[in-house]
Amino acid sequence: MDSNTSSEKREPIQPRRAGGRQRVAELLAAASDLMAERGYEATTMAEIAARAGAKIGSLYRFFPNKEAIAEALLQHHAAIMNEEYEALAARAADLSPEELADILIDLMVILYPRVKSLPALMDARTDRAEIRHTSRSRALQGIAAALQVCASGLDATAAQDIAVVVLNNMKTMLGMVLKDVPTTPAAPDELRSMNRLYLAARLGSYQRE
Amino acid sequence: MDSNTSSEKREPIQPRRAGGRQRVAELLAAASDLMAERGYEATTMAEIAARAGAKIGSLYRFFPNKEAIAEALLQHHAAIMNEEYEALAARAADLSPEELADILIDLMVILYPRVKSLPALMDARTDRAEIRHTSRSRALQGIAAALQVCASGLDATAAQDIAVVVLNNMKTMLGMVLKDVPTTPAAPDELRSMNRLYLAARLGSYQRE
DNA sequence: GTATTATTTGAGCATGGACTCAAATACGTC
DNA sequence: GACGTATTTGAGTCCATGCTCAAATAATAC
């Protein structure tokens, strides 16, 4: 219906002074917190500015629109996740399936403080399908890689399939811990044990040592 | 900030003619479909009316506000779920843990066509926490009951804990089937086998026969 | 100190969407 | 067919929120 008829997608202005860089950081932090609390849609631009101690105009100086904030946050999250999954693959070699299972199941919980708005952004019903898919793929890839390192001989396809299931377990655990979802006290342990049982069964046959 | 100062919460007008009852049904069906597609927030009252072939004024005759639609839908869903879980408990007695696992894992998928908007309504970030919690509890209770029937001797607390995990597996399966989430083709089978493994391990010891 | 440029400010615009209401119309009943 | 009531209609109100912009202010360079 429209397209790039005239107004080019005005690209974000980069801060050029220390103060500006700090503002950007504060704005992103405020946005991340708010979106984690209320969700993407329910978080207003005015609120973001207010929580960062800035005025709405400052917010729009550095971010052309709300989407841009989401993108910046996802970008940031992606970097952190990459890092973390690489670290995991590095030490997965000398882990038993059970140990790997226990590490994975808590991984999102441990990462959470650094990527608070990730769940809100992944759930949001905007476009942005692309970057969301990328983020998810990266996680799956990271998990699959760790699985393959742990169970050498496991083929890539199976690793992907298992990763999908394990990623869901990780998300479930995060939900339980955040009390997004009311849970019985022992439920996390149940989840942990299911995850362990599953990976032991699925990776057990490939285990060297 | 406000409270019930004056305007009583005008209670919904009940249709008094056949035409009215049909309208209500059409409106609810349209709302359910749209909310399933777009989510609660993103679904507008105008769209709901339009899809039902009605005008906005008709919609507001039978539903005082958007929340009321959500409530009516959840009410409806609750009834269906109750029914289904009772039926399950009735036949759980002569099922092996593995069989029960396989039935449960697909239960949401099978139920889905009749409760399309349930996920959207459970995810929505409105108040309504109460009714949402009720809905979830009912599901957990239903699952726990089936587990206890299948594994007589399983105590109620453990049944609840296991139910929490199984319910999450059910939701995950629904997500996979609906392609809410991109998945490898074999991932559903992985999930199924994990669920079976888990319930077999957890309920196996109690099994009679 | 003066010029230049980055940053801040906040009133205000534009849009969309929840919700209202008085008048018109359809239905049912006698 | 006339009356009463249920239902329909849709233009219009209100308000929240994303976003704009010209003017003020602060930082930096010389």
Side-chain angles (χ1 to χ4, degrees):
Chain A
M1 229 54 93
D2 66 302
S3 80
N4 46 6
T5 23
S6 57
S7 64
E8 299 303 315
K9 186 180 289 178
R10 174 185 25 210
E11 57 200 275
I13 280 158
Q14 297 297 335
R16 290 179 143 25
R17 307 232 261 246
R21 256 160 287 158
Q22 163 134 349
R23 251 294 112 95
V24 167
E26 291 163 348
L27 289 167
L28 283 176
S32 188
D33 287 357
L34 282 167
M35 287 175 182
E37 288 170 24
R38 311 206 207 303
Y40 174 77
E41 300 288 354
T43 299
T44 72
M45 296 297 268
E47 275 177 327
I48 293 170
R51 177 163 311 190
K55 296 291 164 15
I56 188 77
S58 287
L59 177 51
Y60 277 97
R61 172 167 181 85
F62 298 113
F63 299 97
N65 52 49
K66 202 175 171 183
E67 267 299 295
I69 297 177
E71 235 136 76
L73 286 174
L74 280 171
Q75 208 78 22
H76 187 229
H77 295 346
I80 290 173
M81 303 252 303
N82 266 350
E83 210 178 275
E84 206 69 20
Y85 281 115
E86 266 164 40
L88 178 63
R91 65 193 183 114
D94 27 44
L95 292 175
S96 69
E98 283 89 352
E99 288 170 323
L100 180 59
D102 287 344
I103 289 171
L104 283 172
I105 197 71
D106 287 322
L107 190 55
M108 295 228 104
V109 176
I110 289 171
L111 240 53
Y112 179 73
R114 285 200 281 160
V115 297
K116 282 211 190 72
S117 54
L118 221 193
L121 290 169
M122 294 294 282
D123 288 354
R125 302 246 186 186
T126 356
D127 294 309
R128 205 185 328 143
E130 192 129 339
I131 189 163
R132 240 164 33 174
H133 180 258
T134 304
S135 175
R136 183 185 154 80
S137 295
R138 198 143 13 198
L140 286 176
Q141 216 175 10
I143 296 167
L147 293 173
Q148 283 190 289
V149 170
C150 176
S152 61
L154 184 70
D155 70 284
T157 310
Q160 276 282 325
D161 296 336
I162 299 171
V164 171
V165 173
V166 172
L167 179 58
N168 267 294
N169 290 345
M170 292 162 66
K171 284 186 195 167
T172 301
M173 180 60 83
L174 181 61
M176 285 181 178
V177 170
L178 295 184
K179 298 269 179 66
D180 268 4
V181 146
T183 307
T184 51
D189 291 332
E190 287 292 333
L191 180 59
R192 234 182 286 276
S193 90
M194 176 179 74
N195 191 59
R196 208 181 297 145
L197 204 61
Y198 171 60
L199 281 189
R202 213 62 185 65
L203 304 186
S205 47
Y206 300 98
Q207 208 178 0
R208 57 266 140 106
E209 171 166 18
Chain B
M1 228 56 90
D2 67 302
S3 81
N4 45 8
T5 24
S6 56
S7 63
E8 299 304 317
K9 186 179 290 180
R10 175 185 25 206
E11 58 200 274
I13 281 157
Q14 297 298 335
R16 288 177 147 22
R17 308 234 259 246
R21 256 159 289 157
Q22 164 134 348
R23 250 295 111 96
V24 167
E26 289 163 349
L27 289 167
L28 283 176
S32 188
D33 286 357
L34 282 168
M35 287 175 181
E37 287 169 25
R38 310 205 205 306
Y40 174 77
E41 300 287 353
T43 300
T44 72
M45 296 298 269
E47 276 177 325
I48 293 171
R51 178 165 307 194
K55 296 290 172 342
I56 187 78
S58 288
L59 178 52
Y60 276 98
R61 172 166 182 86
F62 298 113
F63 300 97
N65 52 49
K66 203 174 171 185
E67 265 299 296
I69 297 177
E71 235 136 77
L73 286 174
L74 281 172
Q75 208 80 22
H76 187 229
H77 295 345
I80 290 173
M81 303 254 302
N82 265 351
E83 210 179 275
E84 205 68 19
Y85 281 115
E86 266 164 41
L88 177 64
R91 66 194 184 115
D94 27 44
L95 292 175
S96 68
E98 283 88 352
E99 289 169 322
L100 181 58
D102 286 346
I103 289 171
L104 283 171
I105 197 71
D106 286 323
L107 190 55
M108 295 226 105
V109 176
I110 288 170
L111 241 54
Y112 179 74
R114 287 199 280 159
V115 297
K116 281 211 192 73
S117 55
L118 221 192
L121 290 170
M122 295 292 283
D123 288 353
R125 302 247 186 184
T126 356
D127 294 310
R128 206 185 331 144
E130 192 129 339
I131 189 164
R132 241 164 32 173
H133 180 257
T134 304
S135 175
R136 182 185 154 81
S137 294
R138 200 145 9 202
L140 286 176
Q141 217 174 9
I143 296 167
L147 293 174
Q148 283 189 288
V149 170
C150 176
S152 61
L154 184 70
D155 69 284
T157 309
Q160 276 282 327
D161 295 336
I162 299 171
V164 171
V165 172
V166 171
L167 179 58
N168 267 294
N169 289 345
M170 292 162 66
K171 284 187 195 167
T172 301
M173 180 59 84
L174 181 61
M176 285 182 178
V177 170
L178 296 183
K179 298 267 178 69
D180 270 3
V181 147
T183 308
T184 50
D189 291 332
E190 288 291 333
L191 181 59
R192 235 182 286 278
S193 91
M194 176 180 75
N195 191 59
R196 207 182 297 145
L197 204 61
Y198 171 59
L199 281 189
R202 213 62 185 64
L203 305 186
S205 47
Y206 300 98
Q207 207 178 1
R208 57 264 135 112
E209 172 163 20

